[in-house]
Amino acid sequence: MGEPTVTPLEGRDQALPDPVTTAPRQRRLHRPRSPRRPRLWFEILLLAVSYWTYSLVRNAVPEQRAEALRNADWIWRTEHHLGLAFEESLNHAVNSVTWLIVSMNYYYATLHFIVTLTVLVWLYRSHPGRYAATRLVLFATTAVALVGYYLYPLAPPRLMPGADFVDTVMVHQTWGSMASGDLKHMSNQYAAMPSMHIGWSLWCGLTVFALAKLPWVRILGLLYPTATLVVIVATANHFWLDAVGGALCLAFGFAVARVWYGTLPYALPRRVPPKGQGRPLLPTKA
């Protein structure tokens, strides 16, 4: 019998991936981050520094009055072309009811901060596993809004020359918006696009709707951004298209959190798993 012959598998070495370098590196790059337990002192410091930085950057953006007024005129003409230029009519209708417009002035000035902080505290206490990811959505939303303020200065309707909008804070002498009255010099007057009143209120509303247990609380979550839209338009602080800009910024925030954590914040486990266990296969229900 002749000697057996062995035929080598040509190209075998080239076909096999490098198990040492390639696979672990890909796993590291594509591994979603696991939620960590939030620390109270760090969160308070982070929120304080973040809001201070946001205010500093927002107010440091050049006001660019002429460009802001041109952009406002373009927005107003575009809304007329769409047949949806209802801001002036709503502004006058609500301004004719004194108790209503005064309430809206205080709503605009206060709830923007109060409700957002309340939802953050609720998340920290009741949903610590979802807190960091949901907070990331809010931070990313606000960060991209700063880019909008710089690239697209926009005057609010109440500052448009020749228009018939009522500056409700000035007329009714209420303590209100940082953009009107005695406080107007402390805030950039021409940073109306996008509207963070809408961006933040939508963030609050969607978070409450997704995670709250009681049906009536979930309904309130949806009503809050709806009421905020009415307020920002009735007080002539924003066009409705500014609200669209705020919603787009929020969508960007959710996209950032989705990439960073590998899922939407509300799908994460409610509690942070103990160290060493990693993320559970199925998220726990609220």
Side-chain angles (χ1 to χ4, degrees):
M1 295 179 65
E3 295 182 359
T5 59
V6 178
T7 303
L9 297 177
E10 295 182 2
R12 182 179 180 180
D13 292 340
Q14 290 82 355
L16 292 176
D18 186 347
V20 177
T21 59
T22 306
R25 184 180 304 165
Q26 289 178 346
R27 284 196 297 268
R28 286 196 300 270
L29 290 175
H30 295 90
R31 182 176 59 194
R33 275 65 175 177
S34 297
R36 297 180 179 179
R37 187 177 303 278
R39 292 167 292 178
L40 181 59
W41 68 267
F42 176 78
E43 293 302 325
I44 293 175
L45 180 62
L46 179 64
L47 290 174
V49 172
S50 298
Y51 184 72
W52 175 80
T53 304
Y54 165 75
S55 300
L56 183 68
V57 174
R58 183 180 188 272
N59 295 332
V61 174
E63 290 199 343
Q64 300 173 300
R65 181 177 183 273
E67 184 177 356
L69 291 174
R70 283 196 300 270
N71 289 337
D73 183 66
W74 184 88
I75 290 280
W76 191 226
R77 284 186 286 106
T78 300
E79 290 187 355
H80 274 90
H81 180 72
L82 295 173
L84 294 172
F86 55 81
E87 291 92 339
E88 190 175 284
S89 299
L90 181 61
N91 173 238
H92 282 265
V94 176
N95 185 66
S96 64
V97 184
T98 303
W99 66 266
L100 181 57
I101 193 59
V102 168
S103 299
M104 286 188 173
N105 284 342
Y106 288 123
Y107 180 115
Y108 185 89
T110 59
L111 292 192
H112 180 52
F113 305 102
I114 293 173
V115 175
T116 304
L117 287 175
T118 300
V119 173
L120 281 169
V121 172
W122 172 64
L123 280 170
Y124 179 88
R125 291 175 59 88
S126 301
H127 299 267
R130 297 160 178 156
Y131 174 85
T134 313
R135 186 243 293 140
L136 177 60
V137 174
L138 183 65
F139 278 29
T141 298
T142 306
V144 75
L146 291 174
V147 178
Y149 298 148
Y150 184 83
L151 296 178
Y152 195 78
L154 180 68
R158 58 186 174 77
L159 292 183
M160 291 179 63
D164 195 26
F165 287 99
V166 178
D167 189 333
T168 59
V169 172
M170 291 291 291
V171 169
H172 298 279
Q173 294 297 300
T174 53
W175 177 85
S177 170
M178 291 286 287
S180 296
D182 295 334
L183 301 176
K184 65 182 179 181
H185 299 296
M186 298 173 61
S187 178
N188 186 351
Q189 296 289 284
Y190 303 109
M193 171 67 85
S195 168
M196 279 299 93
H197 274 75
I198 291 299
W200 288 13
S201 66
L202 267 177
W203 176 86
C204 292
L206 291 175
T207 299
V208 170
F209 180 78
L211 300 180
K213 295 180 179 179
L214 298 175
W216 67 269
V217 176
R218 300 181 70 200
I219 293 173
L220 282 180
L222 295 181
L223 290 178
Y224 174 54
T226 304
T228 301
L229 175 61
V230 175
V231 167
I232 67 171
V233 172
T235 56
N237 280 293
H238 288 282
F239 298 100
W240 67 264
L241 279 175
D242 301 343
V244 175
L248 291 176
C249 288
L250 181 64
F252 172 82
F254 274 110
V256 170
R258 175 68 174 81
V259 170
W260 188 256
Y261 286 95
T263 186
L264 290 175
Y266 310 139
L268 290 169
R270 180 177 182 180
R271 302 292 178 185
V272 179
K275 288 185 178 180
Q277 290 188 10
R279 184 187 297 179
L281 294 178
L282 292 175
T284 56
K285 297 293 184 181

